[in-house]
Amino acid sequence: FRSHIIEGGGTVALEVARRLSDVDYLVIPLGGGSLTSGCSTAMAALQPTTKTVAVSPATAPAVVESWRAGKTLSIPPGPSVADGLVQQECLPYTLSILRRYLADAWLVNDPEIFGSVHALLETAHVLVEPSGAASVAAIWNCRDQLKGKRVVAVLTGSNTTAQAVRQALDTPSIAP
């Protein structure tokens, strides 16, 4: 069953590769790792030079730290506005795929995520749930490193509340 979810996640990278050539970075929100596993596997096959990067909330670093350590770690998560990305540990199967195909993993904090939700709503007129905006927050944080690169942010979901949207609009936008 899990492999079907990972395969489905790979279709996101397939769509990116069909529409864009020479992508330098594909930046993906990271929860349990199925979407990221599928995307990183597909991009490795379709555009091997593309670096796939995963993004998690700083208060829930279990999957990122497991990837860095090369073994499953159990780290109790703290609260995050990106509740769809909050995990206590990484599944061994998913971790093995991430270790093989993921280029990097970054952490972002809630104000950065809210600022990204605000920027996406303000500039692109797209409402993305906080978990789905984590990729944009990470790109903004790494903008100097990514300058001049062809970067694709995977945006996921619009499962949010009016309260979260108000909080995002009360947070300064990351858009210049």
Side-chain angles (χ1 to χ4, degrees), residues 61-138:
V63 180
V64 169
E65 295 303 332
S66 294
W67 175 78
R68 289 178 179 159
K71 63 182 180 180
T72 299
L73 302 174
S74 182
I75 302 171
S80 175
V81 65
D83 58 350
L85 304 180
V86 173
Q87 301 290 320
Q88 181 161 327
E89 60 187 36
C90 186
L91 296 172
Y93 179 69
T94 307
L95 181 59
S96 68
I97 296 170
L98 294 175
R99 291 285 300 162
R100 183 169 180 188
Y101 295 110
L102 194 64
D104 208 348
W106 301 334
L107 298 170
V108 293
N109 63 44
D110 282 1
E112 295 162 343
I113 293 169
F114 271 139
S116 297
V117 171
H118 187 161
L120 287 164
L121 192 54
E122 181 178 74
T123 61
H125 308 286
V126 175
L127 178 59
V128 177
E129 68 183 49
S131 296
S135 57
V136 173

Side-chain angles (χ1 to χ4, degrees), residues 13-37:
L14 178 61
E15 288 183 39
V16 170
R18 282 184 177 165
R19 295 168 197 249
L20 300 170
S21 61
D22 302 323
V23 173
D24 295 308
Y25 288 87
L26 180 64
V27 184
I28 309 162
L30 175 64
S34 296
L35 174 64
T36 307
S37 293

Side-chain angles (χ1 to χ4, degrees), residues 134-159:
S135 57
V136 173
I139 290 167
W140 179 254
N141 287 348
C142 297
R143 63 190 174 279
D144 292 337
Q145 171 188 340
L146 300 173
K147 189 174 185 174
K149 304 292 184 190
R150 193 161 194 182
V151 180
V152 174
V154 174
L155 305 177
T156 58
S158 59
N159 181 25

